[in-house]
Amino acid sequence: NEGNEYFREKDYRRAVIAYSEALKKNCEDPELNAVLHTNRGAAQFYLGNYRSALNDAIQAKKLKPTHLKAIIRGALCHMELKNFSEAIAWCEEGLRIDSKEKKLVEMRAKADKLKVNIKAVQPDFSTRWQGRAVLGIDLLCERNIRLVLEPSNEEGEISDGLAELSIDGFHSDNVTGAKVHLDADGNLNWPVLFLYPEHEQTDFIAAFHENSRFIDHLMVMFAELPPWDLERKYLPSNIELYFEDEERAEMYKLNPEHTLLQVLQHQRYFVKAGTPTVLAFVKHSPFSKKYFSGKKVHRL
């Protein structure tokens, strides 16, 4: 009920935490647990955490295979992640339960169309694109954010990265299709990738507000331990975040109280492919000690 109240207030982060607390009670009612996973998945979806939302939809479907809301949510997540074949499979599964479900019928048709058009034409390197690119870059220059851009052709007049920047929506597509965008208040929201080298796992946040702190996201992401954390070590208070300066082969330890913008403004942080990336380690773990052996580490 607390989670539902936060959800109605559009406080999705607190909703995620509340639903996670409920799941920790290990209730033996599969129906209720399916609802909790579905609700938490919906909250994660509105936060832009599509992978986490998908994981909840998968868990809900395991508990109750006919739970249509979970199937719809899972299909939506696959759409956002541009996994169109998987989205179609989820839609078809839902339509076997209810062949007239409007959302699934529409999504199935959209996924079919996008799957056919997935091999998109190359970007148009015209003056129109260049004008948009300059405006997009200006937004970053104002914030002192540095991009790494590779030349797109021999002339080097405009890079692929620049061609992907657009002021109307200001975006740079990454592999998941998430886009950097300006909100109504003029703030940037970035797709951010978290890497866990010890377990070769990743987390992806599709819309990380530039003024949000890393600790706030860690509290949501690890409100419940991930299935690959068998030793139960990845607690928000036990996680250290770093970024790597590849040019100098040096590491920088982040302050989790810092905002994304504060990190992006660091003079040695370079955004690659439009997606900021951070590495996460467990404090004082044997793996992290070995990983950092011989490397110079700075603290922000």
Side-chain angles (χ1 to χ4, degrees):
N1 288 337
E2 183 180 308
N4 290 347
E5 187 61 34
Y6 283 131
F7 194 96
R8 280 192 290 271
E9 295 171 359
K10 297 185 178 181
D11 191 342
Y12 300 120
R13 286 188 173 82
R14 284 196 173 93
V16 167
I17 292 169
Y19 293 134
S20 297
E21 287 299 314
L23 285 164
K24 287 178 184 177
K25 299 297 181 184
N26 295 319
C27 169
E28 295 181 3
D29 182 352
E31 181 97 16
L32 178 56
N33 285 332
V35 170
L36 287 169
H37 275 292
T38 302
N39 289 0
R40 186 174 69 176
Q44 292 278 28
F45 185 89
Y46 285 114
L47 286 169
N49 301 335
Y50 302 125
R51 290 191 188 280
S52 297
L54 178 59
N55 288 336
D56 271 321
I58 291 169
Q59 291 302 317
K61 191 155 68 80
K62 284 181 181 177
L63 290 162
K64 187 181 177 184
T66 59
H67 195 22
L68 210 53
K69 283 187 177 180
I71 293 172
I72 292 171
R73 183 64 58 196
L76 284 167
C77 290
H78 279 303
M79 290 294 289
E80 291 293 338
L81 294 167
K82 296 195 182 304
N83 300 331
F84 300 124
S85 294
E86 290 84 350
I88 290 169
W90 278 64
C91 287
E92 290 178 344
E93 188 173 350
L95 289 169
R96 285 195 290 271
I97 299 168
D98 182 353
S99 62
K100 296 181 180 178
E101 170 53 55
K102 186 178 178 182
K103 288 181 181 177
L104 291 175
V105 171
E106 291 177 352
M107 205 183 327
R108 173 70 169 79
K110 184 178 180 181
D112 256 337
K113 183 178 179 181
L114 290 171
K115 184 181 177 185
V116 171
N117 295 332
I118 193 69
K119 294 179 181 178
V121 295
Q122 292 298 312
D124 172 18
F125 300 114
S126 63
T127 306
R128 174 178 60 87
W129 270 109
Q130 293 182 41
R132 286 177 168 183
V134 170
L135 288 169
I137 292 297
D138 283 348
L139 290 171
L140 302 185
C141 290
E142 290 170 6
R143 290 166 165 78
N144 294 318
I145 296 174
R146 286 154 288 278
L147 292 181
V148 174
L149 300 168
E150 300 295 334
S152 66
N153 51 37
E154 292 181 3
E155 291 79 15
E157 291 178 2
I158 183 167
S159 75
D160 286 333
L162 281 173
E164 291 172 351
L165 295 174
S166 166
I167 192 62
D168 33 327
F170 178 68
H171 72 273
S172 177
D173 287 349
N174 62 10
V175 290
T176 67
K179 300 173 181 179
V180 187
H181 64 273
L182 275 172
D183 61 25
D185 298 319
N187 298 305
L188 288 178
N189 291 264
W190 292 84
V192 176
L193 186 65
F194 287 75
L195 305 178
Y196 308 98
E198 182 173 358
H199 297 276
E200 297 182 347
Q201 297 286 333
T202 63
D203 264 328
F204 180 72
I205 296 177
F208 194 131
H209 191 285
E210 64 181 351
N211 292 322
S212 290
R213 302 179 307 166
F214 279 89
I215 187 61
D216 295 330
H217 281 278
L218 290 177
M219 292 296 290
V220 171
M221 293 159 63
F222 293 95
E224 187 174 274
L225 291 171
W228 45 263
D229 182 18
L230 300 178
E231 297 179 38
R232 304 178 69 82
K233 299 185 297 185
Y234 282 77
L235 303 170
S237 59
N238 205 30
I239 295 172
E240 293 181 332
L241 300 177
Y242 295 82
F243 73 80
E244 186 170 8
D245 181 348
E246 293 182 6
E247 183 181 330
R248 298 181 179 179
E250 297 175 352
M251 304 291 294
Y252 287 82
K253 183 180 176 182
L254 312 187
N255 181 344
E257 299 290 333
H258 281 175
T259 65
L260 174 61
L261 181 58
Q262 287 176 296
V263 173
L264 296 184
Q265 288 177 329
H266 190 275
Q267 61 182 359
R268 295 307 302 170
Y269 197 99
F270 300 92
V271 179
K272 294 185 178 181
T275 306
T277 301
V278 295
L279 293 88
F281 299 87
V282 173
K283 289 180 183 177
H284 312 303
S285 69
F287 179 88
S288 65
K289 289 178 182 177
K290 183 178 179 181
Y291 189 93
F292 293 113
S293 177
K295 294 182 180 179
K296 187 172 183 179
V297 179
H298 304 270
R299 294 177 182 271
L300 269 64

